[in-house]
Amino acid sequence: MILLQSHSRFLLQTLLNRIQNLEKCIELDHHWVEFDDVRYHVQVSMKNPHILLLSLSLPTPPLETVFVGGLPFGAIEAIKAAYGVIVQILDPPRDGFNLTLKLNLFKLPQDEDQRHTLLVKIASVREVVLGAPLRVILKHLASRTVAPDIDQFVALVHRPNESFFLVPQAEKVTVVFPMRFKDSIDTVLATSFLQEFMESRRTAGLSNAPPCLWSQTPPLELKGVTDDALSANAGFVTFVILPRHVEGRKLDRTVWNLSTFHAYVNYHVKCSEGFMHSRMRRRVESLIQALNCAKPDQEKTKKTPQTRSFKRLNLKDSRTNSSS
């Protein structure tokens, strides 16, 4: 199984190239889209070549999610804690984006390792912003408390007009994913994948992993959620996060894995579908080769003398011929 990286590889490469060519005063204006409809825009003008503007557009939130100023709750505090004075939040952001950050490249650390670590963190702005509410709840779980002013269940956006749900408690946090797929083949493959995913949790090597359950119907923890928010054609996946899963450095990994779980499943479903298609094509090619080998050699057929035809005789005709 392949886990997705938390940082944007294209954004990281863009930042590294910009630092290496800072003295050339090259203008930049890049737009691109990554999985789950997260859009990026990087812009650098020739007038201020050391100032880089990074804009981020998040997936369209459904009605059950709560956004504060166009961002998930806790996102502003998470950005300030992650980047400090190096990054400035522009208010309002660029048109069509939820967030615009102003990065002063002259304020980056001089040490190469520290600078690269900070650039990787900047390239992980998606994780910082979208994972901010989840991080707040899981931090309180590590101290075995519940975050104040938190509802009985919390809806967090992770795909356009789709959300997953958290049920925070002092001793555990229950995370429920309604799994939705547009293609019918993807739905069948995802259902089989998720059932095997649940069974693999029972192996000895994964005994410390969070408990995982799959069901065709919504779990009881989501009683009271609207039917539209719980529409799922591939069932529901439930994880139970315990304090030991968010201790120390495990917190960042848990936040990222939960935030991108649907993309993780979708990636492996598409890989499985592509693998089966390649196997089917190879099988068809082998059958075609077998059929071609079974065809008679036409050149040898032309060289042979004309074949004679025979008429099958019945018993009466054979007696007549013998008597004559």
Side-chain angles (χ1 to χ4, degrees):
M1 299 283 179
I2 298 177
L3 295 176
L4 302 174
Q5 295 179 339
S6 60
H7 64 271
S8 170
R9 296 182 62 182
F10 185 79
L11 178 55
L12 178 59
Q13 190 63 41
T14 301
L15 294 173
L16 292 174
N17 292 338
R18 184 59 190 173
I19 293 175
Q20 294 174 358
N21 301 283
L22 189 59
E23 298 178 354
K24 296 182 179 181
C25 299
I26 302 175
E27 185 176 354
L28 293 180
D29 191 5
H30 294 333
H31 292 262
W32 73 95
V33 182
E34 295 190 353
F35 61 93
D36 292 339
D37 197 30
V38 176
R39 296 188 295 115
Y40 296 83
H41 179 211
V42 171
Q43 188 175 22
V44 177
S45 64
M46 297 182 63
K47 183 178 180 181
N48 296 314
H50 64 285
I51 299 299
L52 184 142
L53 297 180
L54 171 61
S55 299
L56 185 69
S57 176
L58 304 178
T60 304
L63 297 177
E64 62 270 11
T65 58
V66 178
F67 268 37
V68 180
L71 296 172
F73 70 89
I76 299 297
E77 293 76 8
I79 294 172
K80 294 179 179 179
Y83 307 129
V85 297
I86 298 177
V87 170
Q88 178 184 354
I89 303 174
L90 298 185
D91 189 19
R94 291 291 183 90
D95 293 338
F97 293 90
N98 300 86
L99 175 68
T100 299
L101 301 178
K102 182 179 179 181
L103 174 62
N104 190 341
L105 300 179
F106 284 161
K107 293 184 179 181
L108 293 175
Q110 297 298 325
D111 184 74
E112 185 176 354
D113 294 336
Q114 294 180 1
R115 184 171 62 247
H116 187 272
T117 301
L118 181 58
L119 292 178
V120 171
K121 188 179 296 184
I122 295 174
S124 305
V125 61
R126 169 202 178 106
E127 177 192 9
V128 174
V129 175
L130 285 178
L134 183 57
R135 186 182 301 274
V136 171
I137 295 175
L138 294 183
K139 274 187 176 180
H140 283 81
L141 174 64
S143 59
R144 288 176 169 80
T145 59
V146 179
D149 301 329
I150 292 295
D151 297 333
Q152 181 180 0
F153 57 85
V154 181
L156 302 181
V157 62
H158 65 137
R159 304 182 73 225
N161 296 313
E162 294 184 14
S163 59
F164 65 100
F165 300 90
L166 277 71
V167 183
Q169 298 177 0
E171 297 296 330
K172 65 179 181 178
V173 173
T174 304
V175 186
V176 182
F177 290 90
M179 304 302 295
R180 307 177 180 91
F181 295 88
K182 296 181 180 180
D183 188 76
S184 59
I185 298 178
D186 292 350
T187 303
V188 175
L189 292 177
T191 302
S192 177
F193 176 85
L194 293 173
Q195 291 175 349
E196 292 294 331
F197 192 85
M198 178 184 64
E199 292 296 330
S200 63
R201 166 62 178 77
R202 301 178 181 178
T203 58
L206 299 176
S207 58
N208 293 327
C212 176
L213 299 174
W214 178 88
S215 62
Q216 194 67 43
T217 58
L220 298 178
E221 289 85 354
L222 298 184
K223 185 178 181 180
V225 181
T226 61
D227 294 338
D228 294 337
L230 296 180
S231 60
N233 54 7
F236 297 82
V237 180
T238 302
F239 292 101
V240 180
I241 308 300
L242 303 175
R244 70 171 185 268
H245 299 136
V246 293
E247 295 175 348
R249 296 182 178 180
K250 295 180 181 179
L251 176 63
D252 294 337
R253 184 174 59 183
T254 303
V255 169
W256 174 249
N257 291 340
L258 290 176
S259 301
T260 58
F261 176 72
H262 195 286
Y264 164 84
V265 174
N266 191 46
Y267 173 81
H268 286 87
V269 166
K270 292 299 183 182
C271 289
S272 300
E273 187 175 353
F275 175 75
M276 287 188 291
H277 286 173
S278 62
R279 290 288 301 271
M280 292 169 63
R281 284 192 292 268
R282 287 198 296 267
R283 180 58 178 168
V284 170
E285 290 175 357
S286 64
L287 291 176
I288 292 176
Q289 292 178 357
L291 291 175
N292 291 334
C293 293
K295 291 182 180 180
D297 194 345
Q298 295 182 0
E299 294 183 358
K300 292 183 178 180
T301 304
K302 292 180 180 179
K303 294 180 180 180
T304 56
Q306 185 177 1
T307 57
R308 298 180 180 182
S309 60
F310 296 91
K311 180 180 180 182
R312 178 173 293 182
L313 301 178
N314 54 25
L315 182 61
K316 183 177 179 182
D317 293 336
S318 62
R319 291 178 180 177
T320 304
N321 294 334
S322 60
S323 61
S324 60

